[in-house]
Each structure stands twice: as structure tokens, then as C-alpha cells.
Amino acid sequence: MSHNHSILFPNLFPYTEWSAVSLFDNSHHVEIGSASLQPYQDSFINCSRYLERVKKLDPGAIYMSITQNHLPGAGGSLVSEQ
């Protein structure tokens, strides 16, 4: 899935059945505190749309979260359901 510059794809090492990764944009690394608002908005919209799809496909997926990882090698946010 994509929204503007944000891309969302299945997690290579999933936590759950619906675990996914959403990249803010094509930047490899963004220093903490230097990200602009638009990539955050794009990624959050992407994640929200994904979780809406999950809810439709799997009504039992009632606990959902959007988390963020700022490790230099990460470059994205993690989306999961339980």
C-alpha cells in the first residue's frame, strides 16, 4: 500500500499474522527531531487504512497498534495486531 511517499508492506519478521512495516518516505535515516510533519501524516494515513482493511478481513483482530522505531537501520514504523 502507499500514500504519497509512504509505503506499507508485510513485515519480513512478523509479530502477528497482520504485522506490517510503513516507511515514512525513501530516506534511509532521519535524525530524531528532524523529521517533517508530512511524512508522519502520510505514514499514519497509510497505517490507518491498512488497519481498517485488517478489521474487515479479520473481525477477531481487535487489539491494534502503531509503533515507531528510530534505530538507524529501521527507517520506518511497525504496525501490528493481536
Side-chain angles (χ1 to χ4, degrees):
M1 296 177 62
S2 63
H3 180 78
N4 293 331
H5 294 287
S6 173
I7 298 172
L8 187 139
F9 51 90
N11 191 341
L12 184 60
F13 302 102
Y15 302 95
T16 66
E17 180 181 359
W18 300 106
S19 184
V21 175
S22 177
L23 300 179
F24 296 129
D25 55 29
N26 62 357
S27 300
H28 179 70
H29 176 71
V30 177
E31 290 292 329
I32 294 174
S34 67
S36 62
L37 181 59
Q38 192 62 51
Y40 273 92
Q41 289 175 329
D42 292 346
S43 185
F44 188 76
I45 289 168
N46 220 4
C47 292
S48 297
R49 289 178 178 168
Y50 176 72
L51 293 175
E52 286 297 324
R53 287 184 181 189
V54 169
K55 284 175 27 179
K56 288 179 183 174
L57 292 170
D58 186 355
I62 57 173
Y63 300 107
M64 302 183 179
S65 65
I66 299 173
T67 60
Q68 183 174 344
N69 189 343
H70 266 293
L71 296 175
S77 294
L78 303 176
V79 180
S80 64
E81 65 71 39
Q82 296 180 357

